[in-house]
Amino acid sequence: MKNTLIAPSVLAADFANLQRDIEMINNSEADWFHIDIMDGVFVPNISFGMPVLNAISKHAKKTIDVHLMIIDPDRYISTFKKLGADILTVHYEACTHLHRSLQAIKAEGMKAGVAINPHTNISLLEDTIKDIDLVCIMSVNPGFGGQSFIENTYKKVAQLKEIITRNGASTLIEIDGGVTNKNAKQLVDAGADVLVAGSYVFGAQDPIATIADLKKITQ
Ligand SMILES: O=C(CO)[C@@H](O)[C@H](O)COP(=O)(O)O
Ligand SMILES: [Co+2]
């Protein structure tokens, strides 16, 4: 049986009731907190920054998975460690020296992730795959929650799985954007290990039951 990890995206939480929504994730079958940091430059939106992550970290009792949608992320690697990040993911498209960025993240004692945009060919990760703990395949264009899932993602997951296996790497495959009960099983069958879900979880009548259902259908 596969233990697919579920990572609710806090971007879709009610920020006026953030502590309540964090406790909901703590009390659910979710495995990770997914935290989207946007700078208004790499993506056309600004989410939240350091003070909010600091507040989340004080209450979160599970792995904190930080997805940086910012240019020049090397500037903030040690800051995100101090703010409680366990996994720090940078965008392939935002890193001039990706290998150096990965080394810097690991030197801080965090797991190193690379997110990849829908238009970027997955084969570009071939030369760094053994240094990457997690690849976050964007199944929407980054910047906003609540977008529709891009169907080409299934093919990308299978291609990445093949690259990981051929290189003897232990990289996890995470899918981010438009994940629901309609595509979760097919994504896991293609090779996904972690599913991020924002609006599907927080927009549900019963988020705890929705997380449990995602967990159940992906085992
Ligand atoms: O990184 C991002 C968006 O840029 C995601 O993590 C979203 O927050 C996922 O939200 P849904 O598509 O599940 O609503
Ligand atoms: Co994200």
Side-chain angles (χ1 to χ4, degrees):
M1 208 163 96
K2 196 171 169 175
N3 180 28
T4 305
L5 304 178
I6 306 298
S9 174
V10 174
L11 185 65
D14 176 356
F15 294 148
N17 288 290
L18 196 48
Q19 190 176 349
R20 179 200 68 191
D21 284 359
I22 292 164
E23 293 302 347
M24 182 280 290
I25 297 175
N26 282 337
N27 295 326
S28 75
E29 289 179 42
D31 299 277
W32 295 356
F33 284 80
H34 183 84
I35 307 291
D36 290 313
I37 305 286
M38 305 177 186
D39 66 354
V41 180
F42 180 69
V43 288
N45 195 11
I46 299 172
S47 53
F48 49 80
M50 280 75 171
V52 175
L53 177 54
N54 195 34
I56 293 170
S57 295
K58 284 191 181 131
H59 299 283
K61 297 199 180 98
K62 298 178 178 184
T63 295
I64 297 184
D65 169 38
V66 176
H67 175 193
L68 293 184
M69 285 163 271
I70 66 174
I71 58 163
D72 208 358
D74 293 13
R75 288 174 298 167
Y76 298 111
I77 289 172
S78 59
T79 304
F80 280 102
K81 170 67 183 176
K82 289 188 193 96
L83 289 167
D86 299 298
I87 305 164
L88 192 62
T89 295
V90 293
H91 260 266
Y92 174 84
E93 300 83 4
C95 293
T96 312
H97 301 285
L98 180 63
H99 190 264
R100 182 179 289 150
S101 302
L102 296 170
Q103 285 178 316
I105 293 169
K106 289 182 182 178
E108 289 284 350
M110 295 177 285
K111 298 277 186 200
V114 178
I116 187 157
N117 278 341
H119 74 271
T120 305
N121 199 293
I122 204 79
S123 65
L124 292 165
L125 298 181
E126 175 97 42
D127 290 343
T128 40
I129 197 70
K130 289 190 98 162
D131 300 297
I132 304 174
D133 295 307
L134 172 140
V135 172
C136 175
I137 297 182
M138 292 308 300
S139 39
V140 296
N141 285 299
F144 302 91
Q147 301 180 81
S148 300
F149 178 82
I150 297 171
E151 296 285 324
N152 186 53
T153 305
Y154 299 117
K155 189 179 91 188
K156 253 176 143 163
V157 177
Q159 286 171 340
L160 177 58
K161 187 78 191 169
E162 192 275 323
I163 291 170
I164 291 168
T165 306
R166 181 157 40 76
N167 284 278
S170 50
T171 316
L172 293 177
I173 302 177
E174 177 178 71
I175 311 300
D176 190 8
V179 171
T180 68
N181 62 343
K182 301 268 186 306
N183 50 30
K185 177 81 170 75
Q186 197 175 337
L187 286 166
V188 170
D189 288 346
D193 304 292
V194 188
L195 301 179
V196 175
S199 47
Y200 181 62
V201 164
F202 287 100
Q205 286 276 18
D206 185 344
I208 294 223
T210 302
I211 292 167
D213 186 51
L214 275 178
K215 198 80 192 168
K216 194 164 157 220
I217 61 181
T218 54
Q219 302 312 298

